[in-house]
Amino acid sequence: MKVLFTVPPLAGHVNPTVAVGAELAARGHEVAWTGPAAALGRLLPPQARILPAGEELGGGYAELHDRWRDLRGVGALRFLWEEALVPLARAMVPGVTRAVRAFGPDILVADQQALAGPLVARRLGVPWVTSASTSAELTRPFADFPKVGEWVAGQISGLLAEFGAGPGGGSGAGADWDPRFSERLVLVFSTPELVGAGADFPPHHAFVGPAFGARPATPGFPWQRLDPARRRVLVSLGTLNQAAGARFYGAVLGAAERLAAEVQFVLAAPSALIGDVPDHLLLQESVPQLELLPHLDAVVCHAGHNTVCEALAHGLPLVVAPIRDDQPIVARQVVEAGAGVRVRFGRTRAEELRDALTAVLDDPGPRRAARRIQASFAAAGGAAAAADRLEKLL
């Protein structure tokens, strides 16, 4: 079996496919990735086969990030679709078409933010499935904001019409198909225990739990500085949000000072934004997160799906400070599952953050909930379960 992963140049969307690809390769299948090659080369293992698609955007990703990082709410959503997802789809279609013709996949696995994958797959008659690297799209995110939902639907309809994939486009596409959701299989890298056990999902939505693959090495972490006498907390805003966190980092430093006698903070952040820190706080530009999590007692983060699932997979409770996009939805899932506390990213004070951390560290409830989700992740099967479902399609 040949499997082609179509992905955007974002770590949280690429990482699950690394694990699934490795599992498929171990079973004797042939795998490849298509997307912006320069970015994927930094995110995929050295031996990964990369078929370029979307390089036409050139170096625009850094510029897009600089414009996006300070946006919130509907403004951030409009920017995501108008300036990122739709242009990325347009840029990737020619390269994905070449990749499909050159590689000849039996199945195309398309991330929900790599809309070129389903467009090309339907045009060329290749079976395709969805990689849902975040559960936000599965939870009717615009139920309370119908106008916003209609606007997003309009963006998708316009893209389909542009490529002749909408009603009357001659591609066999119907009026109601959505490139974010395969009708064959949706691989959801989460479980109902986090997404919401009461929700009703179609049978082709496979909740396989998180899939953790190999990551680029993070050399030089000072493991010897982890203090065994204190509880340890990681603070991370992910790779894309650090530059927007100056005010939040101030609250982190204040909370770290107030809890210094009993808690050691490991802060993953640019040193230029933080400045000098006291000896009781460990500041690193980046951390080997998967290797570090077993040594921690809690995680403070922006509610990015990747970080949340990695923390919960280790049974760690969370303090979540969502910023934009799917993060408020993921934060709500964490709180409703009982596995953490939410604080305000833009207006959190040191005392509020201290109290939130004290709650998740001292109250056994969040840790019990985190361990319940941890057990559900383990039972779901991760990359092996995803590979099983893909094999069953052929």
Side-chain angles (χ1 to χ4, degrees), residues 291-330:
E291 292 83 0
L292 181 60
L293 287 169
H295 303 275
L296 301 176
D297 296 279
V299 172
V300 178
C301 71
H302 60 304
H305 193 263
N306 219 45
T307 301
V308 163
C309 286
E310 289 178 4
L312 292 173
H314 289 82
L316 298 177
L318 293 135
V319 174
V320 286
I323 306 172
R324 65 175 75 78
D325 301 335
D326 65 331
Q327 296 157 19
I329 297 170
V330 176

Side-chain angles (χ1 to χ4, degrees), residues 2 5 15 29 74 76 87 96 101 109 151 153 167-168 208 217 224 251 266 292 306 332 346 352 363 373 379 385 390:
K2 290 185 174 183
F5 295 98
N15 287 342
H29 303 299
V74 174
V96 174
R101 287 174 172 159
V109 179
W151 181 84
V208 299
Q224 72 282 1
V266 180
L292 181 60
N306 219 45
R332 185 181 70 232
E352 181 182 0
D363 183 346
I373 297 170
L390 290 170

Side-chain angles (χ1 to χ4, degrees), residues 15-39:
N15 287 342
T17 71
V18 173
V20 177
E23 178 68 24
L24 289 169
R27 299 183 184 191
H29 303 299
E30 193 172 348
V31 298
W33 284 260
T34 183

Side-chain angles (χ1 to χ4, degrees), residues 133-169:
S133 51
T134 172
S135 57
E137 293 282 4
L138 309 177
T139 59
R140 299 180 66 241
F142 308 120
D144 296 329
F145 307 97
K147 293 295 184 182
V148 176
E150 291 172 8
W151 181 84
V152 170
Q155 294 294 304
I156 295 171
S157 297
L159 180 67
L160 299 184
E162 181 178 339
F163 286 93

Side-chain angles (χ1 to χ4, degrees), residues 37-391:
L40 296 191
R42 296 188 294 269
L43 300 172
L44 291 168
Q47 72 276 14
R49 181 176 179 182
I50 301 173
L51 304 172
E55 300 299 327
E56 293 82 353
L57 286 181
Y61 300 113
E63 179 187 346
L64 283 177
H65 175 250
D66 288 343
R67 294 163 55 199
W68 163 84
R69 69 186 182 192
D70 294 322
L71 296 174
R72 304 286 186 273
V74 174
L77 179 72
R78 290 184 65 91
F79 185 89
L80 176 68
W81 280 95
E82 292 180 334
E83 304 293 335
L85 299 187
V86 171
L88 180 63
R90 290 193 188 106
M92 284 181 61
V93 162
V96 174
T97 301
R98 291 190 296 269
V100 168
R101 287 174 172 159
F103 185 63
D106 300 294
I107 298 174
L108 184 146
V109 179
D111 183 88
Q112 286 184 311
Q113 292 193 358
L115 304 174
L119 284 170
V120 173
R122 286 182 72 107
R123 178 186 292 171
L124 299 182
V126 177
W128 65 280
V129 307
T130 296
S131 170
S133 51
T134 172
S135 57
E137 293 282 4
L138 309 177
T139 59
R140 299 180 66 241
F142 308 120
D144 296 329
F145 307 97
K147 293 295 184 182
V148 176
E150 291 172 8
W151 181 84
V152 170
Q155 294 294 304
I156 295 171
S157 297
L159 180 67
L160 299 184
E162 181 178 339
F163 286 93
S171 66
D176 56 352
W177 86 283
D178 190 328
R180 297 170 298 174
F181 299 99
S182 167
E183 296 177 353
R184 292 173 179 267
L185 176 64
V186 177
L187 294 172
V188 184
F189 293 100
S190 186
T191 61
E193 284 75 11
L194 176 59
V195 175
D200 185 22
F201 295 100
H204 69 287
H205 283 50
F207 286 83
V208 299
F212 304 134
R215 304 285 172 82
T218 306
F221 184 80
W223 295 99
Q224 72 282 1
R225 289 191 57 195
L226 293 179
D227 186 350
R230 290 183 291 170
R231 291 178 289 183
R232 294 174 293 276
V233 172
L234 172 66
V235 181
S236 173
L237 298 182
T239 54
L240 295 179
N241 299 289
Q242 292 178 337
R247 191 186 187 286
F248 187 76
Y249 291 140
V252 170
L253 294 176
E257 181 181 357
R258 288 159 173 79
L259 293 170
E262 52 190 291
V263 178
Q264 181 182 33
F265 280 56
V266 180
L267 176 56
S271 56
L273 275 180
I274 306 299
D276 295 332
V277 297
D279 290 340
H280 61 76
L281 189 148
L282 180 52
L283 172 65
Q284 294 286 292
E285 296 275 344
S286 61
V287 299
Q289 189 159 293
L290 285 178
E291 292 83 0
L292 181 60
L293 287 169
H295 303 275
L296 301 176
D297 296 279
V299 172
V300 178
C301 71
H302 60 304
H305 193 263
N306 219 45
T307 301
V308 163
C309 286
E310 289 178 4
L312 292 173
H314 289 82
L316 298 177
L318 293 135
V319 174
V320 286
I323 306 172
R324 65 175 75 78
D325 301 335
D326 65 331
Q327 296 157 19
I329 297 170
V330 176
R332 185 181 70 232
Q333 292 173 358
V334 169
V335 173
E336 290 180 351
V341 173
R342 177 174 177 168
V343 297
R344 303 165 297 175
F345 176 77
R347 298 192 299 275
T348 297
R349 294 173 289 107
E351 293 79 7
E352 181 182 0
L353 187 55
R354 176 203 59 196
D355 292 346
L357 260 175
T358 300
V360 300
L361 287 170
D362 293 346
D363 183 346
R367 185 167 294 278
R368 280 198 301 266
R371 288 176 174 166
R372 183 182 70 248
I373 297 170
Q374 178 187 29
S376 78
F377 283 178
D388 289 343
R389 293 300 296 257
L390 290 170
E391 288 181 328

